[in-house]
Amino acid sequence: SDNYGYNGKILWVDLTKEEIKEEEPDIEIYKKYLGGYGLGVYYIYTRIKPKCDPLGPDNIIGFCPGLLTGSTAPFSGRYMVCGKSPLTGGWGDSNSGGNFGNAIKRSGYDAIFITGIAKEPVYLHIGEKGNELIDASELWGKDVVETENILKKKYGKCDSATIGSGGENKCLIAGIVNDSARIAARSGLGAVMGSKKLKTICITNKKKLKIADRKLMVELSKEYNK
């Protein structure tokens, strides 16, 4: 890809069909919606079925890092989780810091969108050799820190966004946790992840993000920090 600062690719996962696809958004979508929940708004509002059950298969949950995530820009290391909120029945979004936003961007994607419901608990692994849905029955019922430790033992260095028993049991105030204690806590989106039987997204694929003018980026960041 010859894009700079953004990857030009988003990942779509249909848990019902067990399908994983890549999509290349039109440049105009990036110009208009940038990143973060801008991309979430565009894709969820254009793809979601009206009046769908937030805890049903038609809800879409998006993990969307910001446009500048993965760069040296200050305060940019965050990601948004978005979808239809089971708490309000309307738009829901929540954000979290830590390393997971950077991990999404450096895995080669500008966002990850998930729809459908898995037959049995699964997790999504985004790795150097490709992306796959893996049986998560041994992780289901475990808390977030236990889950992270199991993933680290299996993959070595990895970044993950995970639900605990609150999300698994579709508790409407459940959050999604990364880095053991950073939480996308609003809107009940942990319950959406639980309804989809998706325990965690685990990322081990890390590429370097290309920036068109790194020197200018550093200068602007220094100026902003002052």
Side-chain angles (χ1 to χ4, degrees):
S1 162
D2 295 325
N3 306 314
Y4 289 91
Y6 66 99
N7 293 302
K9 276 196 300 194
I10 59 174
L11 193 68
W12 279 94
V13 180
D14 185 326
L15 296 170
T16 303
K17 294 179 182 170
E18 298 178 359
E19 263 180 11
I20 301 175
K21 289 178 182 170
E22 291 180 354
E23 183 176 336
E24 294 184 11
D26 189 274
I27 182 74
E28 293 307 314
I29 293 169
Y30 286 105
K31 284 181 177 175
K32 194 168 180 183
Y33 296 95
L34 305 178
Y37 69 68
L39 272 185
V41 163
Y42 174 76
Y43 277 104
I44 290 169
Y45 272 102
T46 55
R47 305 282 171 93
I48 205 165
K49 286 183 181 170
K51 299 186 178 171
C52 82
D53 176 0
L55 298 177
D58 294 330
N59 198 3
I60 298 169
I61 186 168
F63 294 77
C64 308
L67 182 68
L68 298 175
T69 300
S71 74
T72 56
F75 309 115
S76 62
R78 303 190 75 81
Y79 72 99
M80 300 297 303
V81 187
C82 42
K84 187 173 184 178
S85 167
L87 259 182
T88 66
W91 172 260
D93 66 61
S94 189
N95 73 73
S96 181
N99 297 312
F100 192 70
N102 278 334
I104 297 173
K105 208 72 180 279
R106 289 181 61 198
S107 73
Y109 300 109
D110 297 310
I112 301 163
F113 292 102
I114 292 155
T115 187
I117 288 180
K119 289 184 191 80
E120 300 295 336
V122 293
Y123 70 91
L124 172 65
H125 176 229
I126 297 174
E128 279 155 42
K129 291 176 182 170
N131 311 312
E132 55 184 337
L133 291 167
I134 298 170
D135 174 30
S137 50
E138 61 154 17
L139 301 175
W140 205 254
K142 290 188 163 51
D143 73 26
V144 169
V145 176
E146 281 179 292
T147 303
E148 282 187 11
N149 289 337
I150 291 166
L151 293 170
K152 281 173 185 160
K153 211 170 171 184
K154 182 173 179 178
Y155 295 110
K157 189 158 169 47
C158 61
D159 292 293
S160 54
T162 306
I163 54 167
S165 59
E168 290 176 6
N169 290 302
K170 299 180 238 186
C171 168
L172 297 188
I173 56 167
I176 298 165
V177 185
N178 58 284
D179 298 275
S180 300
R182 309 296 291 264
I183 306 181
R186 293 180 310 185
S187 304
L189 295 167
V192 175
M193 205 163 152
S195 74
K196 296 188 174 306
K197 295 198 179 77
L198 180 68
K199 177 66 176 174
T200 183
I201 298 173
C202 175
I203 300 175
T204 54
N205 188 15
K206 296 281 181 71
K207 301 167 185 163
K208 198 169 183 185
L209 193 68
K210 291 189 292 184
I211 293 167
D213 190 338
R214 197 169 283 277
K215 191 165 170 264
L216 180 61
M217 171 65 98
V218 170
E219 279 170 23
L220 290 169
S221 296
K222 280 182 182 169
E223 202 178 297
Y224 185 86
N225 280 332
K226 271 184 203 166

